[in-house]
Amino acid sequence: MRVPTDVLVVGGGPAGLALAAELAGRGLRVRLVAPHPPRPFPPTYGAWLDELPAWTLACLAEVWTDVRVYTGEQPTPLLRPYALLGNARLLGALLARAGEGLTWTVGTVRGAEQVGEGWEVHGTGGETWRAGIVVDAGGHMGSLTRPRHPGGAALQTAFGLVAHFDRPPAPPGGMVWMDYRSPHLSAAEVREAPTFLYAMHLGGSRYLVEETSLIARPGLPRALLERRLRARLAALGTPPREVEAEEWVAFPMNAAAPCPGPLLAFGSAAGLVHPVSGFQVAGALRDAPILAGAVTGALGQGGPAAAARAGWAALWPPERRASREVALLGVEALLGMPGEQLPAFFGAFFRLPAPEWHAFLAHRTDAGTLARTMLRVFAQAPNAVRLPLARAALEHAGPSGRALRAAWDLR
Ligand SMILES: Cc1cc2nc3c(=O)[nH]c(=O)nc-3n(C[C@H](O)[C@H](O)[C@H](O)COP(=O)(O)OP(=O)(O)OC[C@H]3O[C@@H](n4cnc5c(N)ncnc54)[C@H](O)[C@@H]3O)c2cc1C
């Protein structure tokens, strides 16, 4: 007799596998369906060291203590260690945490229907998998569910190179989180489509350098970012000697809090990308045990439907929904800001006391803290930055405006 599946997870990215591992580690039978076998996650994943769960310390490829931003000619040291995840080690650690309870099935999910208390999930190859609970961890556009992006998707895009350099393109031994100096761009280019350098020294003559558009609607095209990266390196007098790999980054930043339904979602499919930084992985590694705990507990007591409800409540409690409304207001403010003002905006942001900007970039910060931080940046910023911030608050005086005002009243 075949062993029934408690949970089917769609997607073998960091979110899907982290959740599958936590569920299997709690004794549930989990099937993960992805079009590929287990493989190290392709993107380069960075995260603040203090946001990663302790067990991931064994999975780090690099940690930098020299972490800087440039919002003017002089660097601002961030005094906050930043880590690069070793994706092969992370994959191995997650598979080990999952143990025997996880079955990885290579396939592509095309649909799912509720049958009795559970689900029948259909694959493009004609397969049918049965499970009590289904979780969509199919990435930024979802697989069985569809994240919503108010006003249309606003994308973070970046073009990067991992390459060897004869002269360092960034500080040896360090990482540059954001360098808004633009010796390679005209004033008009900066105004219309601001981009910054994100760079890591990977040891020896090896660096990752990425020309990054923090957020734009529509997103900047790959060819433009590649041209800009090469122009920046030429302007710095540090062309790459030997290119090892290219990286293309493009994903939406402005997902709304999802509507709970009978299917669960997790990771970027559940709108869990941070709307201002674009980070998601550290948050997924932290949220996975919370979601798995809620699902496992409710499954034992009330069955699959109760487990799905408990999962949504654990993942998107009312405070998190309110805080997403405030963060989306920040997104609209960034989108409406003339490009040449972004360095001044981030200059004011990084002058805040460290606990405040850390909290702003964290995954589960409440709406009141987010709103207070935004108001402090507003107070510190020059007038040219304040104007677009105020305009965004007025133009988006819907739920996010109300959340901001409520937070202000509660301060
Ligand atoms: C190049 C790049 C760099 C990034 N860098 C960072 C970073 O440094 N730090 C950070 O926190 N975030 C980063 N992000 C943002 C985000 O965290 C990542 O996109 C992350 O991979 C999202 O994880 P996920 O598991 O939700 O989705 P994904 O990693 O996209 O995984 C989705 C999975 O679902 C599978 N799938 C999709 N559809 C189906 C289907 N129908 N059936 C079965 N399987 C399906 C896919 O094959 C894949 O296995 C980056 C994103 C990109 C693109």
Side-chain angles (χ1 to χ4, degrees), residues 21-121:
E22 292 295 336
L23 291 164
R26 283 166 175 73
L28 298 190
R29 280 139 316 186
V30 182
R31 181 188 300 281
L32 185 156
V33 182
H36 49 82
R39 53 148 200 223
F41 313 108
T44 309
Y45 291 139
W48 301 109
L49 184 61
D50 56 34
E51 291 197 335
L52 287 166
W55 63 265
T56 59
L57 293 187
C59 309
L60 302 182
E62 299 276 350
V63 177
W64 296 274
T65 51
D66 175 355
V67 181
R68 331 168 164 196
V69 295
Y70 289 86
T71 57
E73 280 312 307
Q74 295 306 317
T76 304
L78 292 188
L79 307 176
R80 188 182 189 194
Y82 192 75
L84 173 67
L85 285 154
N87 287 354
R89 270 183 264 167
L90 180 61
L91 174 80
L94 288 170
L95 291 172
R97 285 171 85 78
E100 297 294 308
L102 173 67
T103 303
W104 186 301
T105 301
V106 175
T108 300
V109 168
R110 66 170 171 80
E113 56 191 334
Q114 262 180 310
V115 177
E117 282 243 311
W119 291 85
E120 279 187 1
V121 178

